[in-house]
Amino acid sequence: MEYEQIAQLMPDFLIPLLREQYDEANTQKIVEGFGAARLTTLRANTLLANREEVAAELAAAGIESEQVTWYEDAFVITNARERALWQLPVYQEGKVYLQTLSSMLPPVALGVTSGLDILDMCAAPGGKTTQMAALGGKGCRITACEMNAPRAEKLQYNLEKQGASNVTVMREDARKLSEYFSFDQILLDAPCSGSGTLHANDVKLHRRFTEALIAKSVKSQLALLDKALQLLKPGGTCVYSTCSILEKENESVLRQCLARANKSGVYELVDLHEQMDLGHSAIPLLPTSIAEAVCVMPTDRYEGFFMAKIRRKA
């Protein structure tokens, strides 16, 4: 679909909101991204299989894939949809996890390593949780929070299927975690409006994506990030991410929480462009009002996505 056709299918308030934040060229690219048919993507679950084994099984099934420069365990499937993968042994045995490329970014940015205490504040259904378990290996200890009982059950199922035995599920609202807890690394993939994941063909789009949802999301995001900063150990790091491309859910939340928490100057932003060498990554980026943060543009390969990394110095 062309830009004008896609724009007409979007909620009335969205295009003006995008134009307040982005120039016309980026607004047009975003809207065109909302109309793109996204390719299926997945990652090898290195707790149960290596990349080469997964690649061989996909090829044997006639499924073609491309590598991703910034993450060697990721695959872009170029000739099949998700349904074609469901019957493969590699999927049924938990050796792969169907996951968007954008949602693979936060665990990579966090830099999970063995021997650390890690908190996943909003964990279900478990894609990022199991990815962190694979990146950190058996030596890392992950606490995964999920307050909704059915979602927590889905999370537990995925952890078991993926062989992520180093994860403890806590059925708790992460906003209410005791300050007696402390963690070396925290992933806060916060609930959001999903503005980066919108698609023009979604018949429920106008009902799901509303200004009220954005306002509700911001309230939760502020409370969650405040709590994350309280729970972070000296020397620890936190990645804050959303699948939104709206500044009010991203940079604005980050600024407000850091202003409240950083009276003694102990928190600092890590430059993710430099850490992840994003200039050579082929990830399509949108401009951000915080230079160290990253915002991914929606395309046929990526969902719109925001990410920032905070370090506690002391």
Side-chain angles (χ1 to χ4, degrees):
M1 286 187 287
E2 298 296 325
Y3 168 79
E4 293 298 338
Q5 293 175 290
I6 301 167
Q8 289 175 6
L9 295 171
M10 294 290 111
D12 292 340
F13 70 89
L14 178 58
I15 306 301
L17 194 59
L18 293 174
R19 285 176 172 152
E20 287 178 17
Q21 182 175 338
Y22 299 105
D23 62 22
E24 192 61 33
N26 278 312
T27 297
Q28 182 165 336
K29 289 178 182 178
I30 291 167
V31 173
E32 289 170 350
F34 292 154
R38 293 196 182 101
L39 297 174
T40 299
T41 56
L42 57 86
R43 60 174 173 81
N45 172 23
T46 55
L47 291 170
L48 299 179
N50 58 42
R51 188 193 192 286
E52 291 71 25
E53 181 182 350
V54 170
E57 289 199 38
L58 291 175
I63 294 175
E64 299 172 4
S65 63
E66 295 176 358
Q67 261 190 292
V68 176
T69 57
W70 53 268
Y71 187 28
E72 65 178 7
D73 294 328
F75 296 78
V76 178
I77 307 302
T78 56
N79 70 335
R81 308 304 297 172
E82 283 191 13
R83 187 174 296 275
L85 299 165
W86 294 345
Q87 303 305 316
L88 297 181
V90 72
Y91 173 82
Q92 295 180 346
E93 295 167 7
K95 294 178 180 178
V96 300
Y97 194 97
L98 295 173
Q99 188 173 351
T100 68
L101 293 182
S102 296
S103 72
M104 297 180 203
L105 283 165
V108 173
L110 194 57
V112 176
T113 56
S114 182
L116 300 180
D117 291 308
I118 302 165
L119 173 64
D120 189 347
M121 294 185 76
C122 304
K128 298 177 188 67
T129 319
T130 54
Q131 185 184 354
M132 289 193 293
L135 289 169
K138 301 293 184 182
C140 68
R141 299 168 294 276
I142 301 174
T143 300
C145 280
E146 178 52 56
M147 65 178 180
N148 179 277
R151 286 173 59 81
E153 290 174 5
K154 179 66 173 177
L155 169 63
Q156 189 66 56
Y157 169 82
N158 282 328
L159 293 172
E160 292 172 2
K161 182 177 180 180
Q162 299 279 298
S165 59
N166 55 339
V167 180
T168 300
V169 175
M170 183 179 290
R171 294 192 180 184
E172 177 67 271
D173 184 341
R175 293 170 292 188
K176 298 179 181 179
L177 284 174
S178 169
E179 292 179 31
Y180 288 107
F181 288 107
S182 62
F183 298 90
D184 300 295
Q185 294 183 321
I186 297 175
L187 175 60
L188 171 51
D189 186 52
C192 70
S193 68
S195 65
T197 69
L198 304 181
H199 201 278
N201 290 336
D202 182 359
V203 295
K204 298 180 180 179
L205 175 59
H206 289 255
R207 189 169 64 200
R208 288 176 175 167
F209 182 72
T210 64
E211 292 176 284
L213 175 60
I214 296 170
K216 179 182 177 182
S217 298
V218 169
K219 186 177 179 180
S220 295
Q221 292 155 3
L222 289 166
L224 284 162
L225 187 51
D226 281 341
K227 176 60 71 173
L229 297 178
Q230 293 170 7
L231 300 177
L232 197 59
K233 291 181 183 179
T237 54
C238 169
V239 165
Y240 172 75
S241 63
T242 74
C243 53
S244 177
I245 54 175
L246 301 178
E247 183 169 7
K248 60 179 64 181
E249 296 185 77
N250 297 330
E251 295 100 321
S252 178
V253 168
L254 199 58
R255 286 193 183 94
Q256 291 180 67
C257 292
L258 285 175
R260 284 196 287 267
N262 213 19
K263 302 243 180 349
S264 56
V266 299
Y267 298 97
E268 63 181 1
L269 287 166
V270 176
D271 189 339
L272 287 175
H273 297 267
E274 182 178 332
Q275 176 192 316
M276 301 179 72
D277 194 21
L278 294 181
H280 297 90
S281 67
I283 298 174
L285 298 179
L286 289 165
T288 57
S289 61
I290 293 178
E292 297 89 348
V294 169
C295 193
V296 180
M297 181 183 296
T299 67
D300 63 340
R301 281 170 165 74
Y302 290 85
E303 292 181 332
F305 205 86
F306 177 85
M307 185 170 58
K309 185 174 183 178
I310 305 161
R311 178 186 292 118
R312 180 172 179 176
K313 293 184 285 186

